[in-house]
Amino acid sequence: MKSLAMALVLLFSGAALAVDTEAREYTAAREAYRQWYPAVSMEGIMNGMRQLGVRDNINMFSAQADSKSLGFTANQDTPYGAAVLDISKGPFVIEMPAGPFMGLVNTHDQSWVVDMGIPGPDAGKGGKYLIVPDGYKSEIPQGYYVGKSATNKVFVVARIIPQGNDLNKAQALLSGIKIYPLATAKNQKPLTMVDISGRDGDMTSLKWESNIQFWEKLAKIINEEPVNRKKQAAYDQLKALGIEKGKAFKPNASLRSTLERAAQDSQKELLANSYATTGRPDKVKWSDRKWEWLLLNSKPEWAADHDIDTVARDRYFAQAIVMSPAMLRRDATAGSLYWGAFKDSNNKALDGGKSYKLTVPLPVPARLFWSVTLYDSDTRSLISNGSKKSSLRSLVELADLKGAKSVDLFFGPRAPAGKDAHWVKTNPGKTWFAYFRIYGPEKAAFDNTWKPGDFVQIQSESMALNQ
């Protein structure tokens, strides 16, 4: 009898221990997902570029964004140029030409390294930047702006502000950016430009976010990059999940199941918190509008191992990519600003099967230009609607508004009669959200003397014309 009792005690103790271990692993995985999401998201960008033939240290791409390629909240206003550099074998030089360029360099985990162009130290006048590994010991040559990266892989991205509505001409100017190893400075071998405009691609982490691939990609990153001692606690946490530098990631069946569940739950929570951030009054732009600041009043160091504003970080990286201190400004010194709308005027989700009108007072306080862009809630990418148009832009579709006091913009599955030029098609059965971007924002964009309307649901196209 005693033997049976002892066996039962051991059996239930073992079961309790297994449950407790699983619970601890699950909790650690949820925390790790949140901590390392920006790094896995960046790996999605880098992986997508490689699949499009944009090779590390060899190519730079130029592109005008459209819905054929997935990319978190890309815009259709400014052509992009981007490259992945591996600085483990030596620094790289980035020569920025003079002109309306806005560029930056981020680490593999989307920590800020340096701004370039208008928001950078060259202030749009052009200059040479040197990107070096953290702890670089060799002498720094004269004449460079220096950026230090804690990771071997860095992401370089630049946008060019179009002068007028010629986006093709603007895109061509990206070829003026030269990137090459410092070792070849006297005999330059710049990265070659690849135009990926209009090509199918996926520069996101969507296919990994809710399954074991998230952890497989994270293990790959941990093995490729040097250990950042400022984040030692985060690395120690990963060891309990079977992810450790220098070791293969081989979770057993129980741990694999736990990691899968943690990824699924974490992705859902990340998106819910991003689209419906609570407890943050700093997201509110106007108390009587649904538009919100995408970037909360935080610090660019949110990705470091101290002073982490996890809510602001989660909200941003669930929707967007790359970070710079210049993006956090809320005054007329900002190069651009971003407001997001996730609900209509009745506080309901924006429904692709319904029609909406957005009234924008004119002039918009923009020294340069402005736009309204629609994104699919599931992909966080430009809404795919069978056309190339996911945006309404002051330089393109809305270039004919001189003298008008306001403009009505339309969004829905069908265009109101005669309003095709001021309409973006949406998809029934899908929800969406919108960004309002202002480039070169003026004082009125911040002091509440100007504000756009909300998305107002309209019952039919005929009502749209009569309202």
Side-chain angles (χ1 to χ4, degrees), residues 277-287 291-293 296-297 311 330:
T277 307
T278 58
R280 292 299 294 255
D282 51 339
K283 79 175 184 179
V284 177
K285 171 53 181 167
W286 303 280
S287 60
W291 292 100
E292 303 174 358
W293 291 104
L296 303 185
N297 274 344
V311 173
R330 291 192 182 179

Side-chain angles (χ1 to χ4, degrees), residues 133-202:
D134 202 16
Y136 183 67
K137 302 298 184 182
S138 299
E139 183 178 353
I140 302 291
Q142 294 290 320
Y144 291 94
Y145 301 111
V146 179
K148 294 183 178 180
S149 171
T151 61
N152 292 330
K153 301 283 176 58
V154 299
F155 181 62
V156 182
V157 62
R159 296 178 293 156
I160 183 164
I161 298 172
Q163 306 301 295
N165 61 359
D166 193 336
L167 295 179
N168 291 330
K169 181 179 179 180
Q171 182 183 352
L173 293 176
L174 289 168
S175 62
I177 300 173
K178 293 183 179 180
I179 304 177
Y180 52 86
L182 177 63
T184 68
K186 293 182 179 179
N187 183 25
Q188 295 179 14
K189 297 180 180 179
L191 275 61
T192 56
M193 188 70 76
V194 177
D195 185 356
I196 63 169
S197 300
R199 293 176 57 187
D200 293 330
D202 183 354

